[in-house]
Amino acid sequence: NDFRMMVQLEESVDVSTNAEHRAQNGSTSSASFTNPGMYSKRCLKMALCDGVSTSEPNSDPASATFVRPVVGVETSPIPSLSVNTPGGYKLLLLGPVEVSMGVLLLGPENVQTLGGK
């Protein structure tokens, strides 16, 4: 499949750690960073955006536009991403990308990291 789509990472959180741990340490603190040797235990949930803005339904046409993020979850760790990856980082999605219940299932086989801020 030749599907390719560039998206921007808005934010990410390691959902393999419990909410209490993330609240105590901050979701992007170094304490919540999964070291490279522990990749198999990490699961990043990511808010992604393709940069397309739409008007909010039933709103005044002159109102500001907003971007609805798409949610992606690692099915296997993507080594070049972490909870410390800054918003604005660019990813290239390579097809096919499986979708389950509206969530993109991502891994090193269908994500290429491009960088940026």
Side-chain angles (χ1 to χ4, degrees), residues 99-117:
V99 178
S100 176
M101 298 180 71
V103 176
L104 302 177
L105 304 180
L106 305 174
E109 69 282 355
N110 59 11
V111 174
Q112 180 180 348
T113 55
L114 302 174
K117 292 182 186 180

Side-chain angles (χ1 to χ4, degrees), residues 21-40:
H21 178 267
R22 290 193 307 263
Q24 288 174 351
N25 297 302
S27 63
T28 59
S29 75
S30 60
S32 66
F33 175 69
T34 306
N35 76 42
M38 302 281 288
Y39 277 136
S40 62

Side-chain angles (χ1 to χ4, degrees), residues 69-109:
V70 173
V71 176
V73 174
E74 285 180 318
T75 55
S76 58
I78 302 165
S80 52
L81 295 179
S82 76
V83 293
N84 297 319
T85 304
Y89 201 83
K90 307 299 186 282
L91 307 174
L92 183 61
L93 304 183
L94 307 167
V97 175
E98 190 174 340
V99 178
S100 176
M101 298 180 71
V103 176
L104 302 177
L105 304 180
L106 305 174
E109 69 282 355

